Amino acid sequence: MESPAVTFTLAYLVFTVCFVFTPNEFHSAGITVQNLLSGWLGSEDVSFIHYHIRRTTATALVHCLLPLGYYIGMCFAAPEKELYYFYKVSDGWKAFVLLAVILPAFTSILAFYWSQKKWSKHPIARTLAHHALPYSDWRVVASSINTEFRRIDKFATGAPGARVIVTDTWVMKVTTYRVYVAQQQDIHLTVTDSRQHELSPDSNTPVQYITIRVASINPKVKPFDIRLNSTEYGELREKLHAPIRNAANVVIHQTLSDLFLETFRSLVETNHYYELPSNQANLQNFEETRSYRIYFLSPLGSVDQAHDLDKLRGVKGTVSTIRL
C-alpha cells in the first residue's frame, strides 16, 4: 500500500500540471487563475489589454506559489518527517524550501516593478510601445486594440493557452504568460507546418492543424507562430489583409470532405493492385464477406458514378480495395 506522502505527491503533481496547462475539465470547473481572481482582473471585453496585463502578472505569481504549496501539504501528508521544523529537515528539503520561498518573492518584486507608472514597465506594455507612433505611447495602441476587440466581426480561435485573435488592424496570440501583437499592415504570413491527427478530442473526427509564421517588418517586433484548425483557414484569410504564403507546400484541407478524400487516397495507395484482364469492362463490385471491400477501377463508367471520386485517379487503370 502506498504511503500518504507518495499519494499526495502524485495527486499534487497531477493537479499542478492540470492547473498550469488547464484542460477543458478544469475550465469547466472554474479552477483557473482567470476565474479565481475574476474580481481583480476585470472584464476582457471591456479592457482587453489591461485585463491581460493583470492576468499574466497574477498567473506568474500563482504558479510560483505551487512549490511552496507542495511543501505545506507535505507537512500534513507526512507528519513523521517533521517538515514543519525547518532546522530538522534534510539538506535536500532545505534547498527545496529556499527555492519555494525565493521564487514567489522574486516574482512579487518583479510584479511590483511591472506595475510602476500604471503598468508601463510590463512586457505587454513594452510590446505595444513598439507599435506606437512618434510622440505617442503604448496606451494609444492599447485603446485601439481594446476598441477592435469589442467588435463582433473579429476572428478568434484556439485553446485558452494559445488563442489567436485577428481584428481589422491587429494579429494577436494570447498565451499563458505573454501576448504577442503584430500590426496587419507590417506582417508577412507563411504556412510552415501541418499536423494531421486521426481523431479530434472535441469532435471524434480527423483533424488537421496548420502552423503559420507571423513576421513583422518592424525589427522590434519578434516573429511568432499561430496554430489553428485547417477548417478555419478560409475564415482567417478573409480577415487578413496580407496574403499567406505556403512555403512548405502544405496541402490544407479546409473542409471535412477534403480531409476525407486525402485519407481515402492514402488508404487506396497502400492496397495491392489487381490488373484487370483486357476482355473485361469497367468494374465496380461490392462483395460482402466477413468485412466489406470496395473495388474501384478508373476511368469510372459515368459522371454520376464518379461524383467526387474522380479526384482519386491515382488508381487509374487498376483496381484497389479498402477494408472498412
Side-chain angles (χ1 to χ4, degrees):
M1 183 176 179
E2 294 183 352
S3 65
V6 174
T7 302
F8 174 77
T9 299
L10 293 176
Y12 197 85
L13 179 62
V14 172
F15 170 80
T16 299
V17 171
C18 293
F19 188 72
V20 172
F21 297 101
T22 321
N24 292 333
E25 290 76 11
F26 268 51
H27 273 283
S28 301
I31 309 176
T32 62
V33 174
Q34 298 93 309
N35 186 67
L36 298 175
L37 301 178
S38 58
W40 179 70
L41 295 178
S43 173
E44 183 185 50
D45 294 328
V46 174
S47 183
F48 176 84
I49 292 299
H50 288 85
Y51 171 86
H52 285 287
I53 285 177
R54 296 188 183 97
R55 180 194 61 80
T56 52
T57 304
T59 300
L61 281 170
V62 173
H63 288 179
C64 286
L65 288 171
L66 290 173
L68 185 60
Y70 171 72
Y71 182 82
I72 295 173
M74 282 294 293
C75 291
F76 296 95
E80 70 279 0
K81 296 180 181 294
E82 296 185 333
L83 296 179
Y84 34 81
Y85 296 115
F86 182 73
Y87 61 91
K88 289 185 178 181
V89 301
S90 64
D91 292 340
W93 278 111
K94 286 180 180 179
F96 181 85
V97 172
L98 288 176
L99 177 64
V101 172
I102 291 174
L103 195 60
F106 173 78
T107 307
S108 298
I109 295 173
L110 186 62
F112 177 76
Y113 170 76
W114 286 345
S115 66
Q116 298 303 295
K117 297 182 179 180
K118 298 182 179 180
W119 297 101
S120 294
K121 303 291 186 179
H122 194 278
I124 294 179
R126 293 176 178 271
T127 298
L128 299 185
H130 298 324
H131 300 282
L133 296 174
Y135 307 105
S136 181
D137 66 359
W138 68 274
R139 294 180 180 84
V140 177
V141 180
S143 177
S144 171
I145 294 176
N146 292 340
T147 300
E148 293 190 12
F149 182 79
R150 286 193 289 267
R151 297 173 183 169
I152 62 174
D153 63 341
K154 64 179 177 293
F155 173 83
T157 187
R163 293 171 61 200
V164 178
I165 301 170
V166 181
T167 66
D168 293 335
T169 310
W170 306 97
V171 176
M172 295 174 287
K173 177 183 177 182
V174 179
T175 65
T176 304
Y177 304 111
R178 292 192 61 179
V179 175
Y180 299 87
V181 180
Q183 201 164 4
Q184 284 220 40
Q185 64 181 14
D186 296 337
I187 61 175
H188 298 290
L189 301 110
T190 307
V191 177
T192 58
D193 190 25
S194 170
R195 296 292 177 89
Q196 188 166 318
H197 302 275
E198 295 298 328
L199 288 177
S200 168
D202 298 326
S203 59
N204 291 325
T205 57
V207 63
Q208 180 191 30
Y209 289 100
I210 58 175
T211 302
I212 300 176
R213 186 75 166 175
V214 181
S216 176
I217 60 175
N218 187 339
K220 296 181 180 179
V221 179
K222 295 181 179 180
F224 57 92
D225 293 331
I226 60 176
R227 188 168 180 261
L228 71 155
N229 195 316
S230 61
T231 58
E232 301 169 319
Y233 180 74
E235 185 180 354
L236 173 67
R237 291 183 60 186
E238 291 178 359
K239 194 63 181 177
L240 292 170
H241 304 323
I244 303 177
R245 296 180 297 174
N246 193 343
N249 295 322
V250 175
V251 178
I252 300 175
H253 309 297
Q254 299 187 43
T255 66
L256 187 60
S257 298
D258 293 339
L259 186 58
F260 167 76
L261 288 173
E262 180 64 25
T263 305
F264 193 88
R265 183 196 300 272
S266 64
L267 288 174
V268 167
E269 291 176 349
T270 61
N271 287 321
H272 300 290
Y273 291 96
Y274 172 75
E275 294 294 338
L276 189 67
S278 58
N279 61 345
Q280 293 188 21
N282 294 339
L283 175 65
Q284 185 177 11
N285 179 37
F286 294 84
E287 175 182 330
E288 182 176 0
T289 57
R290 291 180 61 187
S291 61
Y292 289 95
R293 295 185 181 183
I294 304 177
Y295 299 83
F296 291 102
L297 173 69
S298 295
L300 295 171
S302 67
V303 175
D304 292 335
Q305 290 175 330
H307 193 47
D308 286 339
L309 295 175
D310 51 351
K311 297 181 181 179
L312 300 174
R313 292 190 181 278
V315 294
K316 189 172 183 178
T318 62
V319 178
S320 298
T321 69
I322 294 181
R323 183 180 296 273
L324 301 178

